């Protein structure tokens, strides 16, 4: 079956232009970014000043921080975002990137493409000295097969 590549390109181009961009992975309202930037202060307000998450969320909503659908930020959504930011920071910390949740930019030492310093070497039984001679007694493959067969011959009895 043959296809018309020129028509295929034009169809794909048309469909691509009609496609709605996915909101996944894109900044929607910026609430997460705002909370990440001020994470430490929000934690301090909650724990030291005794403010509830609902009160903090109402204060943020009064300043224009909204949820994905344009609604004011709620206490429940704020705690979910705080939790997600905290979990992400813990994951990064366990991978070796020591930073606080409010520090969202990677350190210069974490640049992509940085090579690992691990060395690859052979197992001790696989390596031998350069001047070492092969053993005098070399066993052929046929001898190895017969030896292995004799070990399991009791399982292969004739009936």
């Amino acid at each position: 079956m043959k296809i018309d590549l020129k028509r295929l390109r034009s169809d794909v181009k048309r469909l691509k232009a009609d496609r709605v961009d996915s909101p996944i992975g894109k900044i929607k309202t910026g609430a997460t970014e705002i909370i990440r930037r001020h994470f430490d202060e929000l934690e301090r307000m909650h724990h030291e000043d005794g403010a509830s998450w609902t009160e903090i969320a109402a204060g943020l909503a009064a300043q224009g921080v909204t949820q994905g659908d344009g609604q004011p930020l709620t206490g429940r959504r704020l705690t979910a975002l705080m939790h997600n930011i905290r979990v992400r920071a813990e994951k990064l910390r366990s991978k070796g990137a020591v930073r606080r949740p409010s520090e969202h930019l990677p350190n210069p030492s974490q640049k992509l493409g940085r090579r690992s310093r691990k060395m690859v070497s052979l197992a001790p039984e696989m390596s031998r000295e350069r001047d070492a001679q092969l053993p005098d007694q070399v066993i052929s493959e046929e001898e190895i097969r017969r030896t292995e067969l004799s070990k399991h011959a009791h399982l292969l009895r004739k009936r």
Side-chain angles (χ1 to χ4, degrees):
M1 176 179 178
K2 288 195 160 211
I3 60 170
D4 182 8
L5 291 177
K6 187 175 180 181
R7 180 178 170 203
L8 177 63
R9 283 189 192 100
S10 68
D11 289 343
V12 169
K13 188 176 180 181
R14 179 181 44 81
L15 292 169
K16 186 177 174 184
D18 294 343
R19 179 179 61 202
V20 176
D21 287 336
S22 172
I24 297 173
K26 296 182 182 175
I27 296 175
K28 297 166 193 79
T29 63
T32 304
E33 204 54 43
I34 292 168
I35 294 168
R36 182 178 289 127
R37 219 174 305 128
H38 303 288
F39 184 88
D40 297 328
E41 180 60 24
L42 295 174
E43 284 275 307
R44 190 194 64 71
M45 288 173 67
H46 177 69
H47 294 295
E48 293 177 15
D49 296 347
S52 71
W53 290 117
T54 306
E55 293 166 344
I56 295 171
L60 289 170
Q63 294 186 31
V65 180
T66 61
Q67 299 185 74
D69 55 359
Q71 298 295 316
L73 188 67
T74 63
R76 188 178 186 106
R77 181 66 182 147
L78 176 61
T79 56
L81 290 172
M82 293 289 286
H83 174 74
N84 291 342
I85 292 168
R86 191 177 299 112
V87 167
R88 174 86 173 127
E90 288 298 320
K91 187 183 282 187
L92 289 173
R93 194 173 297 121
S94 70
K95 287 184 177 181
V98 180
R99 59 180 138 158
R100 297 178 0 201
S102 59
E103 300 169 343
H104 61 283
L105 297 175
N107 294 334
S109 64
Q110 298 169 335
K111 301 252 183 199
L112 295 176
R114 189 169 165 206
R115 297 202 175 244
S116 173
R117 295 182 186 223
K118 294 180 182 176
M119 297 295 294
V120 177
S121 61
L122 290 174
E125 60 271 7
M126 296 290 293
S127 60
R128 62 178 173 164
E129 296 175 21
R130 291 184 184 261
D131 300 336
Q133 299 283 332
L134 287 175
D136 293 335
Q137 187 181 20
V138 178
I139 302 172
S140 68
E141 287 184 34
E142 183 65 27
E143 290 174 349
I144 293 171
R145 277 192 220 104
R146 290 190 184 278
T147 305
E148 291 299 316
L149 178 64
S150 67
K151 289 180 186 175
H152 304 291
H154 67 282
L155 299 172
L156 305 170
R157 282 187 251 157
K158 292 184 179 178
R159 292 181 185 189

